[in-house]
Amino acid sequence: MKKSLAVGIILLFIIATIVPLNQTSVTAHRSGGKWWYVGGAGPGNYTIIQDAVDNASNGDTVFVYHGTYTQDPHLLQCVTIEKSISLIGEDKNTTIIKGCRIGDVITEVVGNVTITGFTLENGGAGNNPGAAINIFKSNGMGTIGNISIHDNIIAYNGRGMNIFDCNNASCYNNIFLEDGGGCVVTRSVHCSIIHNQFLRNNPAGLSIWTEDYTNYINISDNEFKDCANGLTIDTSMGLTIHDNIIAYNGRGMNIFD
């Protein structure tokens, strides 16, 4: 009995040392990377997401507590990611990054990045084009790899998401709602677009464009509803399209060349 009690106490001590608590400081670590916190009340927490991202290093995690984080109107984006980090929101329904209709909400130009747990809204529109998430290789050569965008609400943007110049990008469990265009994939290979909802997007829920090459994309288990065009594919090869719900759109699917 005493031995079991001692083992139990040791296990509780171990768990307490590895599980980060709410409002914790920046000293917590996971998988060798450092955790940085935004919006909490504890020591070392940031109030601006970009400040935490700028101080992070490759392999780190930036955790954002619930709240609304707005764009500086003098900048073309709310957050720019130029390091291989994880950007994690506390709750996708209450952790909101809100643009002011100028440029992108999140610009991401490197590989090995995860973005999850946010509502992203008010990326550029009209004469100020922009997206909730704009992924591209900044030097324009080759591709960036291992991108994971999941469990976000992407709403009311000029475009929901650009996946450009990517190799092995995964977009899953996101809701694209009333964006000027839901998601565009181009110059990318070996990407997965799965378990997303594309709702009331114009001109298209999902567009796959060639621009040099866009090959071997898995499009499965998505919902395309109430879009001008549910799914548009242009001059691409090796695509797999299955188990999607395509309903109540102006046109369900366009396939060109």
Side-chain angles (χ1 to χ4, degrees):
M1 180 68 178
K2 291 182 178 179
K3 183 177 179 181
S4 298
L5 180 60
V7 170
I9 292 172
I10 292 170
L11 287 173
L12 286 173
F13 176 78
I14 292 171
I15 292 170
T17 60
I18 63 175
V19 177
L21 300 176
N22 192 33
Q23 312 303 331
T24 191
S25 70
V26 298
T27 57
H29 291 71
R30 183 190 69 173
S31 302
K34 193 172 185 178
W35 281 60
W36 305 82
Y37 293 87
V38 181
N45 280 267
Y46 291 86
T47 57
I48 298 173
I49 297 172
Q50 188 65 57
D51 290 345
V53 170
D54 289 344
N55 281 281
S57 300
N58 290 335
D60 287 356
T61 296
V62 174
F63 183 89
V64 183
Y65 289 107
H66 71 88
T68 299
Y69 301 83
T70 56
Q71 178 182 3
D72 182 337
H74 298 96
L75 300 177
L76 291 179
Q77 60 278 321
C78 297
V79 180
T80 299
I81 300 176
E82 299 177 295
K83 302 168 185 176
S84 297
I85 63 171
S86 294
L87 181 62
I88 300 175
E90 181 178 12
D91 184 320
K92 68 180 180 181
N93 295 294
T94 58
T95 311
I96 302 165
I97 308 179
K98 190 171 186 176
C100 57
R101 297 293 186 185
I102 299 174
D104 306 318
V105 179
I106 297 178
T107 300
E108 196 270 286
V109 296
V110 296
N112 299 301
V113 168
T114 295
I115 301 171
T116 182
F118 293 96
T119 290
L120 305 172
E121 59 184 39
N122 284 7
N127 293 324
N128 298 304
I133 302 176
N134 190 15
I135 306 168
F136 64 97
K137 189 170 179 63
S138 59
N139 63 17
M141 299 294 291
T143 59
I144 55 179
N146 302 319
I147 308 297
S148 180
I149 312 295
H150 65 91
D151 295 285
N152 301 284
I153 299 170
I154 298 171
Y156 316 117
N157 301 280
R159 180 177 291 163
M161 185 186 308
N162 294 324
I163 300 177
F164 295 172
D165 314 311
C166 289
N167 183 355
N168 191 29
S170 295
C171 171
Y172 62 94
N173 290 346
N174 301 288
I175 299 172
F176 294 84
L177 176 64
E178 295 195 24
D179 297 306
C183 180
V184 173
V185 183
T186 190
R187 302 192 303 269
S188 298
V189 294
H190 302 296
C191 298
S192 295
I193 313 295
I194 58 176
H195 293 289
N196 301 284
Q197 292 179 284
F198 298 90
L199 308 175
R200 301 197 299 275
N201 290 284
N202 182 52
L206 174 64
S207 299
I208 311 293
W209 299 343
T210 178
E211 288 193 31
D212 298 330
Y213 61 91
T214 302
N215 301 326
Y216 310 112
I217 311 295
N218 177 22
I219 304 166
S220 60
D221 297 291
N222 302 285
E223 291 186 16
F224 301 90
K225 290 183 177 180
D226 294 306
C227 300
N229 295 284
L231 175 60
T232 297
I233 299 168
D234 189 355
T235 325
S236 302
M237 60 184 293
L239 275 64
T240 301
I241 305 169
H242 66 88
D243 292 294
N244 299 283
I245 296 172
I246 305 175
Y248 312 115
N249 303 284
R251 181 173 291 166
M253 185 183 301
N254 294 317
I255 301 179
F256 301 107
D257 304 319

